[in-house]
Amino acid sequence: MQPELSLIFCSRAEKLPESLLQNIDSTIGCEYELVVIDNSQQSYSIYEAYQLGYERSSGIYLAYLHDDVYFHTPNWGLLLKSHLDIPGAGIMGIGGRDTLVRVPSSWTVSLPYIHLIQSDKNGKKRKVKHRPVGFTGSRAKVSMLDGVMLCMPRRVMETIAFDTRMKGFHGYDFDICIRASAAGFQNYVMYNIDIEHFSRGSAD
């Protein structure tokens, strides 16, 4: 039986943390499969790992996730599916922006759209929420998304692909979002799924 949702990870260790596995299983609320690309030896770029993850997956919906997250919303898988079922849905995430400029720059520039609980190694947490003025909906249209969570209907990846010529572990989110937009899909930030990220990232 085809799973509803494929969760795809490029894992920095041989196995995903047990705490993450338990969290997913207790909160997702729908049928799912785990597709874990073991990158503990850095055998793949993030582009290669994610493309390989898609090729090994079988779900109707795909969710590319970092391995240092925690879901706080019950039945978030059902909410995610409701987002991905809208006509023309491209990539969904929890942080992005609605403008793309010719000069390379971070998605956090120019009024970002964010719905995230950000933690650091010291245990400090803060909920970051930026919405357009007057906006109260459950999702907002954007062009760019942060790679901590990139979710899409399978038909998106049947149309586009991660550029496996690229190397390293940055820029994959920028690249795949541009590809989705250019293919005619609409990307969104979701505002009704609470996800905590245990890293502030690196701009190296």
Side-chain angles (χ1 to χ4, degrees):
M1 182 177 178
Q2 184 180 19
E4 294 180 280
L5 179 58
S6 296
L7 306 182
I8 301 172
F9 293 89
C10 175
S11 179
R12 295 170 292 179
E14 292 183 8
K15 296 181 179 180
L16 292 178
E18 187 62 31
S19 58
L20 174 60
L21 297 177
Q22 293 176 358
N23 171 244
I24 290 171
D25 197 58
S26 64
T27 59
I28 193 168
C30 68
E31 293 295 321
Y32 71 97
E33 67 171 356
L34 289 172
V35 181
V36 181
I37 305 302
D38 176 2
N39 206 23
S40 57
Q41 303 301 313
Q42 295 195 4
S43 303
Y44 308 100
S45 71
I46 189 72
Y47 301 85
E48 293 169 327
Y50 273 179
Q51 187 63 30
L52 180 60
Y54 160 66
E55 293 167 3
R56 292 182 179 177
S57 72
S58 56
I60 301 169
Y61 310 94
L62 309 173
Y64 294 91
L65 297 164
H66 285 194
D67 58 8
D68 56 352
V69 297
Y70 186 93
F71 290 93
H72 290 271
T73 302
N75 297 318
W76 62 267
L78 301 178
L79 295 173
L80 176 59
K81 290 194 301 176
S82 70
H83 286 297
L84 296 178
D85 278 338
I86 67 173
I91 304 177
M92 305 275 179
I94 47 74
R97 77 172 197 233
D98 62 358
T99 55
L100 177 64
V101 296
R102 290 185 180 274
V103 178
S105 59
S106 168
W107 67 267
T108 58
V109 176
S110 182
L111 298 177
Y113 296 44
I114 309 173
H115 184 75
L116 174 69
I117 300 170
Q118 182 66 68
S119 295
D120 59 25
K121 295 180 180 179
N122 297 321
K124 295 181 179 179
K125 301 180 181 181
R126 64 189 182 99
K127 190 167 187 178
V128 185
K129 184 181 291 188
H130 290 290
R131 295 173 178 262
V133 176
F135 175 79
T136 59
S138 62
R139 60 181 169 265
K141 293 180 180 180
V142 295
S143 297
M144 306 304 305
L145 288 161
D146 182 73
V148 66
M149 183 181 192
L150 298 172
C151 309
M152 63 200 77
R154 190 172 195 87
R155 64 178 177 273
V156 174
M157 285 300 292
E158 291 172 346
T159 305
I160 63 175
F162 287 94
D163 187 350
T164 55
R165 299 169 300 175
M166 300 289 284
K167 303 302 179 184
F169 297 90
H170 290 297
Y172 63 96
D173 42 8
F174 188 99
D175 178 74
I176 202 68
C177 288
I178 292 174
R179 290 174 182 272
S181 294
F185 298 104
Q186 177 61 61
N187 303 329
Y188 293 88
V189 165
M190 301 175 291
Y191 281 93
N192 60 351
I193 296 177
D194 286 344
I195 182 173
E196 184 172 352
H197 187 211
F198 295 98
S199 170
R200 296 191 181 278
S202 170
D204 61 8

